[in-house]
Amino acid sequence: MQRPLRGLMVGVGYFAPIQLAAWRAVSGAEIRGLVGHRDRARVGAVARDAGVGWAGIDLAAAIDAVRPDFLDICTPPATHGDLIRYAVTRGLPVLCQKPLAATVAEAAELAELAHRHGVPLVVNENWRWQPWYRETKKLIDAGVVGQPFHTTMRMRPGDGWGEHPYPDQPYFADMPRLVLFETGVHYIDTTRFLFGEIDKVQCTTATVNPAVAGEDLVVAVLHTSRGGIVVYDADRSAVARTVRSLAYGTMSVEGTEATLEVADDGTMTVLRRDGQVLRHAYRMPDGWKGGCAIAAQQNFVDALRGGAEAETPATDYVRTMQVVEACYQSAALGRAVRIRADRAAGVPEPAGERLP
Ligand SMILES: NC(=O)c1ccc[n+]([C@@H]2O[C@H](COP(=O)([O-])OP(=O)(O)OC[C@H]3O[C@@H](n4cnc5c(N)ncnc54)[C@H](O)[C@@H]3O)[C@@H](O)[C@H]2O)c1
């Protein structure tokens, strides 16, 4: 039997304990060390709670002590680049939280660097692993919906109002780019997973809560190369039925044969053209948001072990970030923006191209 892969994780903020809990349910790997930034007490406490043996604030010392097989990065996007360069140039595979980098150009540079060094660099994009999206994909592939032509993803977490919004992630309030960059990137990746490539966007943004710097309202119309339209309708300041509900909002996939509805608790219903309304029952795995963090991290480990293909390699994820950038451009220009096709090397062009 192969020994479990040794992981070293960086970052001990809001998401780290969720990610560490997920690692405990992943087979074939374990986190052996945890690296923080300045706050030794916090690193020690998070490591203790998660049963991680090594804790500290010096990455080089952690690598010497743990001799990891991979680095797991869970720090703010602006810090991803330096950490990835450090690991990749030492031949250390990386799983890195979304968004991959602060800009599309940097994401493309990092993807290319990893590619050149032959080192796996995978984005920890867990949203597409939420079970209601996996079920949606199965139902589409089985032909239940027919040709999906119009999807609405209505994101309503209800956590962005008041003078102190986003209690779990208060740093959101100061981000100059908020919903599209931080959360919309999940929905764009999930759109690509469900419906294929996005090649044109038309987007409007607004800031509703005066206490936040960036946009907290986004309506983006995403055109897929298969001819479908996906409307990402996101509003973080609006009142929500359930604050930060399991599915963060609702989704409807309208197809030629049926409409598929996902409620904010993950419940799925199929409305067929013949009038039948069927509840689609499925297993909800344990863990954060239907086990999606476990599934994403498991996919990375399986890929490292050669038993699967990584679903969100950096080379492909650049395209997701490029669509995010195109949405910002569209909102600024007040018109549609087309996204250029991939370059031969597999790393897409970093900039969107305006429509005439
Ligand atoms: N997948 C999801 O659903 C999900 C949810 C929340 C956050 N995230 C992502 O996870 C990442 C972290 O988010 P968060 O909410 O935990 O942020 P956070 O600000 O709460 O925590 C960031 C942590 O990184 C540490 N840090 C900063 N710079 C560092 C450096 N150079 N070296 C080592 N440690 C450093 C900070 O001290 C802190 O412990 C972000 O990329 C975010 O987008 C993903």
Side-chain angles (χ1 to χ4, degrees), residues 10 12-15 37 75 80 97-98 126 169 171 182 288:
V10 195
V12 289
Y14 160 69
F15 203 66
H37 190 53
T75 62
H80 294 172
Q97 262 297 345
K98 47 53 65 175
N126 47 42
Q169 291 152 288
Y171 63 88
E182 221 295 326
W288 185 77

Side-chain angles (χ1 to χ4, degrees), residues 185-204:
V185 69
H186 285 307
Y187 287 82
I188 285 168
D189 175 72
T190 301
T191 295
R192 294 182 64 219
F193 165 64
L194 291 175
F195 305 110
E197 219 46 273
I198 299 164
D199 47 31
K200 191 176 77 173
V201 302
Q202 172 95 48
C203 180
T204 300

Side-chain angles (χ1 to χ4, degrees), residues 171-179 181 207 212-216 328:
Y171 63 88
F172 274 11
D174 300 322
M175 290 176 72
R177 287 178 158 196
L178 178 53
V179 164
F181 179 75
T207 303
V212 307
E215 80 286 359
D216 53 9
Y328 280 116

Side-chain angles (χ1 to χ4, degrees), residues 19-216:
Q19 203 153 294
L20 284 162
W23 278 118
R24 290 199 291 281
V26 168
S27 53
E30 54 195 31
I31 297 297
R32 293 284 193 88
L34 189 59
V35 181
H37 190 53
R38 300 192 185 123
D39 189 349
R40 278 183 195 276
R42 165 89 183 157
V43 190
V46 175
R48 231 179 354 266
D49 284 352
V52 174
W54 194 97
I57 57 170
D58 183 336
L59 180 59
I63 289 176
D64 279 350
V66 172
R67 288 174 294 106
D69 298 302
F70 67 89
L71 188 69
D72 179 24
I73 299 173
C74 188
T75 62
T79 66
H80 294 172
D82 284 349
L83 291 165
I84 289 170
R85 284 183 206 97
Y86 187 88
V88 158
T89 51
R90 284 163 177 77
L92 192 58
V94 176
L95 178 65
C96 180
Q97 262 297 345
K98 47 53 65 175
L100 179 56
T103 64
V104 181
E106 189 184 21
E109 174 228 310
L110 295 168
E112 204 139 22
L113 182 77
H115 184 70
R116 221 175 331 115
H117 281 78
V119 176
L121 171 59
V122 176
V123 179
N124 192 346
E125 179 49 270
N126 47 42
W127 218 258
R128 62 160 64 199
W129 291 93
Q130 291 172 4
W132 42 94
Y133 295 127
R134 307 309 277 194
E135 291 298 315
T136 296
K137 174 94 165 116
K138 276 190 219 160
L139 292 174
I140 293 170
D141 289 351
V144 170
V145 177
Q147 179 67 30
F149 56 84
H150 182 192
T151 294
T152 304
M153 293 173 162
R154 207 162 175 271
M155 187 186 106
R156 294 289 185 277
D159 58 354
W161 186 243
E163 274 179 51
H164 303 289
Y166 310 113
D168 287 341
Q169 291 152 288
Y171 63 88
F172 274 11
D174 300 322
M175 290 176 72
R177 287 178 158 196
L178 178 53
V179 164
L180 278 164
F181 179 75
E182 221 295 326
T183 323
V185 69
H186 285 307
Y187 287 82
I188 285 168
D189 175 72
T190 301
T191 295
R192 294 182 64 219
F193 165 64
L194 291 175
F195 305 110
E197 219 46 273
I198 299 164
D199 47 31
K200 191 176 77 173
V201 302
Q202 172 95 48
C203 180
T204 300
T205 63
T207 303
V208 178
N209 184 349
V212 307
E215 80 286 359
D216 53 9

